[in-house]
Amino acid sequence: QVQLVESGGGLVQAGGSLRLSCAASGRTLSNYAMGWFRQAPGKERELVATISWGGGYTTYADSVKGRFTISRDSAKNTVYLQMNSLKPEDTAVYYCAANYGTTIGSRPNYWGQGTQVTVSS
């Protein structure tokens, strides 16, 4: 069993930055692909960024390319999402997810509880 706890969300002005953290416990994250999803009010949950278990392969949604960076620290069993040049449309609840294997998939094995990110214009 893997427990994921997100932190780092908050209120920021447009153009600002936030760094989200996802700390895992219960099991090491090696052999797990990790991802960040987000869900805005009235919208479906969308995949924002993924990172392979080794950290060498990352993917991003077109809407965040060049602004967000996903990374992982295996020693700390933690995944990060650095968000720069934030826009009001980035406002959402952000969820961390873990999936055993090479890809995050559409139904990851484990989810965090979510952290709210609000970007004011």
Side-chain angles (χ1 to χ4, degrees), residues 9 15-16 18 21 23 26 29 34 38 45 62-64 70 85 87 90 96 101 104-106 109 111 117 119:
L18 284 174
S21 299
L29 291 180
M34 301 296 297
R38 68 185 180 186
R45 187 173 295 184
D62 288 342
S63 59
V64 306
I70 189 171
S85 302
K87 304 175 181 180
D90 294 318
C96 175
I104 195 65
S106 59
N109 300 129
W111 291 91
V117 171
V119 184

Side-chain angles (χ1 to χ4, degrees), residues 21-85:
S21 299
C22 173
S25 61
R27 191 171 294 179
T28 180
L29 291 180
S30 59
N31 296 320
Y32 281 84
M34 301 296 297
W36 286 94
F37 292 75
R38 68 185 180 186
Q39 187 167 21
K43 295 187 177 181
E44 293 187 355
R45 187 173 295 184
E46 66 169 333
L47 180 60
V48 175
T50 70
I51 188 166
S52 61
W53 69 266
Y57 183 70
T58 58
T59 67
Y60 297 92
D62 288 342
S63 59
V64 306
K65 279 181 182 177
R67 301 188 298 121
F68 291 10
T69 303
I70 189 171
S71 62
R72 64 193 299 165
D73 185 332
S74 297
K76 296 182 178 180
N77 225 26
T78 300
V79 177
Y80 304 97
L81 185 68
Q82 177 67 44
M83 305 186 295
N84 298 328
S85 302

